[in-house]
Amino acid sequence: MTTNTKKPLIAIVGRTNVGKSTLFNTLAEENKAMVSAIPGTTRDRAFADCVWRGKLIQVIDTGGFERKKSAKGGSASGGITAIEKGIKEQIQIALDEADLVFFLVNIRDGVLAEDLDFARELRKIKKPIIFIANKADKKDLMLRAKDPEWKKLGFGEPVPISATTGIGVGDLLEDAYAEFKKLKLEPQPAEKIDALKVAIIGKPNAGKSSLVNALCDEPRMIVSDIAFTTREPQDTFISYKDKNYLLIDTAGLRKRAKIKKGLEKIGTERTREILEDADIILLVLDISERLGTQDKNLADLAAKSEKGLIIIANKWDLIKNKTPKSPKEFTNYILSRLNFIFWAPILFISAKDKKNTPKIFGLIEEVQKERMREITHNALDKFLKSAIKRAKPIGGTGMTTAPYIHTMKQTGVKPPSFEVVVKTKHVLHANYLKYLEKQLRKKFGFEGTPVIIKSRSRK
């Protein structure tokens, strides 16, 4: 398993609220990172491709580490919190991975104590650093880049830009390419890389970020027992056995009544959007706890998205006194709560210990294959005759005679979709359509994918 490290890599770093995520979005040419005035919105490393001169480079957005001080000069919480520590670790990993560093400050604020502390740490690394003064969206602000106070940071005069308006960003990329040339790094030609999009959903603390870490075999996400540690969807491109995957870790969804305005609401809306664009969904359940209403709501959301679906029963290591019958017993329990997605395969794993996590890739490939399955007309014709022989068609409410079915044909894939044509003015009962679906699955498979069957009257 390897991450995509062929493209020259730029880490965007700096204290909180200097515009790192805004610059990241501008370079990626899409809103991949959440932007907010609330400090600490970005916590994990987020990766994106940036195209310049028809070539590809990669940029990393990082969290801004800011240690809050109490009135007595100590930490407000008595020390560095788990999340603050995680952010600092993620910044260090980004600096270790990067070929080039973008060090951002806010040109409107001038040099702050946090900038001095951060610059002191950056001067210790042996990586080229481009010093950037962001939020210079007016001429008078751009002139502030000439202020001698910036020399206190030890990186000379900053490059003034406005990540919001794009002012100076092109010149910044030219500087970056010049640095790559010195490093003898060649940006890759821009070309589309086909990758299955795999969205990972689950309620808070189900283990989504731990699963991404296990699949990537590296600590890509911050993992914490604090709900909503992951606030924004994260894209992780990886290659496994010559197949490409884009893993998207999403913010945990709470019940609607508990969703507050702000970052959590944005994260929820983004998650719904991501499901629309995904190929496969991994529904992560904390199997060490009883399945609740929120698990059911997420399963329903996944089913309605009409994408491939795999149930990941995580934290299997926390189940005590397991027996050979335990997987079957827990499978029956899951299906008793989520019977409407009976067609989704269930895999018991421990993301923490990486137990069974490699099997997920095989399941993803199998489910994608089922999503693309096409049934020939002859095979469908034989299937329909056999199904009618087992159970005669049932008409809708008020119908006294059984509907006459003319034919059945497949109308699409992703998901597999079928149309049953019946005699004029006849309609099929919804239960009969469900019967046909179960018979189709029994005959042809379709594990892990919804099957859509509709009926229409013959004109």
Side-chain angles (χ1 to χ4, degrees):
M1 189 188 308
T2 57
T3 53
N4 184 19
T5 57
K6 293 182 180 180
K7 297 167 230 167
L9 204 56
I10 300 174
I12 304 173
V13 300
R15 63 174 174 83
T16 57
N17 288 350
V18 293
K20 298 184 297 297
S21 293
T22 303
L23 177 58
F24 177 81
N25 287 338
T26 299
L27 294 175
E29 296 184 285
E30 60 179 301
N31 293 326
K32 294 177 73 69
M34 242 192 277
V35 178
S36 168
I38 302 172
T41 300
T42 302
R43 292 171 172 173
D44 302 317
R45 285 148 41 237
F47 290 72
D49 286 336
C50 169
V51 180
W52 186 249
R53 301 185 191 169
K55 298 289 185 70
L56 273 177
I57 58 175
Q58 199 170 38
V59 290
I60 315 173
D61 186 22
T62 63
F65 180 75
E66 184 175 31
R67 187 173 183 176
K68 297 180 180 179
K69 302 293 181 179
S70 67
K72 295 181 180 180
S75 172
S77 59
I80 298 176
T81 66
I83 288 180
E84 287 173 332
K85 182 180 178 182
I87 292 171
K88 190 173 182 180
E89 291 173 350
Q90 291 296 310
I91 293 171
Q92 187 57 56
I93 294 173
L95 290 173
D96 292 341
E97 292 177 337
D99 301 301
L100 175 64
V101 177
F102 281 175
F103 173 35
L104 262 68
V105 294
N106 185 339
I107 201 166
R108 301 183 182 191
D109 294 340
V111 177
L112 300 186
E114 291 91 338
D115 296 319
L116 289 168
D117 291 341
F118 202 84
R120 192 176 300 114
E121 295 299 318
L122 285 179
R123 288 198 297 270
K124 297 176 184 178
I125 70 171
K126 296 180 180 179
K127 298 283 178 74
I129 296 172
I130 296 180
F131 183 29
I132 305 165
N134 189 28
K135 305 192 180 183
D137 49 7
K138 295 180 181 179
K139 187 174 181 179
D140 60 323
L141 290 173
M142 295 188 72
L143 292 175
R144 291 188 190 180
K146 302 289 184 181
D147 197 312
E149 73 165 334
W150 298 114
K151 295 181 180 179
K152 296 177 184 178
L153 299 175
F155 299 103
E157 184 179 303
V159 178
I161 71 162
S162 171
T164 301
T165 64
I167 294 173
V169 174
D171 293 335
L172 177 62
L173 286 171
E174 290 294 335
D175 292 343
Y177 273 49
E179 291 294 335
F180 290 143
K181 188 173 182 179
K182 293 177 186 177
L183 296 170
K184 297 183 179 180
L185 293 174
E186 181 64 32
Q188 302 298 303
E191 58 183 32
K192 185 177 180 181
I193 300 175
D194 291 326
L196 276 179
K197 295 180 181 178
V198 182
I200 303 175
I201 67 171
K203 65 183 182 182
N205 297 333
K208 301 181 296 299
S209 294
S210 297
L211 177 57
V212 173
N213 287 343
L215 294 175
C216 294
D217 202 23
E218 64 165 294
R220 180 62 63 87
M221 300 293 177
I222 298 170
V223 180
S224 167
D225 57 1
I226 302 172
F228 282 92
T229 302
T230 304
R231 280 180 173 166
E232 55 190 304
Q234 300 289 323
D235 292 1
T236 303
F237 177 83
I238 65 173
S239 179
Y240 182 76
K241 292 186 177 180
D242 298 325
K243 297 290 181 66
N244 297 323
Y245 304 92
L246 190 66
L247 304 181
I248 309 170
D249 180 27
T250 57
L253 296 179
R254 285 180 175 173
K255 294 178 181 178
R256 280 188 173 273
K258 293 184 179 180
I259 296 175
K260 300 177 182 179
K261 291 183 178 180
L263 297 180
E264 293 176 11
K265 183 177 180 181
I266 295 172
T268 302
E269 292 171 351
R270 292 284 302 279
T271 298
R272 296 178 187 277
E273 292 172 2
I274 283 168
L275 294 188
E276 292 300 315
D277 195 40
D279 297 302
I280 307 292
I281 299 170
L282 303 184
L283 173 60
V284 182
L285 306 176
D286 181 349
I287 200 61
S288 68
E289 298 181 353
R290 292 186 64 84
L291 300 184
T293 302
Q294 188 59 358
D295 294 304
K296 187 174 182 179
N297 290 341
L298 285 169
D300 182 59
L301 188 67
K304 288 179 179 177
S305 71
E306 298 184 355
K307 304 302 169 72
L309 178 61
I310 299 170
I311 299 173
I312 304 297
N314 190 28
K315 304 188 181 182
W316 188 236
D317 55 302
L318 299 183
I319 304 299
K320 306 299 181 184
N321 304 317
K322 291 193 289 287
T323 69
K325 295 182 180 180
S326 294
K328 180 64 175 176
E329 292 170 352
F330 276 87
T331 295
N332 291 337
Y333 167 66
I334 293 172
L335 293 179
S336 71
R337 296 288 296 167
L338 310 176
N339 62 327
F340 54 93
I341 52 170
F342 66 92
W343 41 265
I346 301 173
L347 181 64
F348 295 92
I349 72 158
S350 170
K352 180 181 177 181
D353 301 330
K354 301 180 183 178
K355 181 176 177 59
N356 285 339
T357 53
K359 294 181 180 179
I360 293 175
F361 291 105
L363 268 179
I364 289 173
E365 290 299 324
E366 289 176 17
V367 169
Q368 180 64 6
K369 184 178 179 181
E370 293 301 304
R371 292 182 73 222
M372 301 294 295
R373 183 180 293 277
E374 295 185 65
I375 311 302
T376 65
H377 178 75
N378 286 340
L380 266 182
D381 190 51
K382 291 180 181 179
F383 160 80
L384 182 61
K385 290 177 180 178
S386 177
I388 293 174
K389 188 175 182 180
R390 287 192 181 93
K392 290 185 178 180
I394 304 173
T397 304
M399 290 187 63
T400 56
T401 59
Y404 178 79
I405 299 177
H406 284 282
T407 186
M408 182 177 183
K409 61 181 180 179
Q410 185 167 2
T411 57
V413 294
K414 297 193 303 185
S417 303
F418 299 87
E419 184 180 71
V420 181
V421 182
V422 296
K423 190 176 180 180
T424 305
K425 296 183 180 181
H426 281 69
V427 293
L428 287 176
H429 197 283
N431 286 341
Y432 196 78
L433 293 178
K434 291 180 180 179
Y435 160 74
L436 289 177
E437 178 189 344
K438 289 183 178 180
Q439 293 301 312
L440 267 175
R441 292 184 183 280
K442 186 176 180 181
K443 175 70 175 178
F444 300 108
F446 296 116
E447 184 181 38
T449 180
V451 171
I452 310 300
I453 304 179
K454 297 180 180 180
S455 67
R456 71 171 177 86
S457 299
R458 184 178 182 180
K459 295 181 181 178

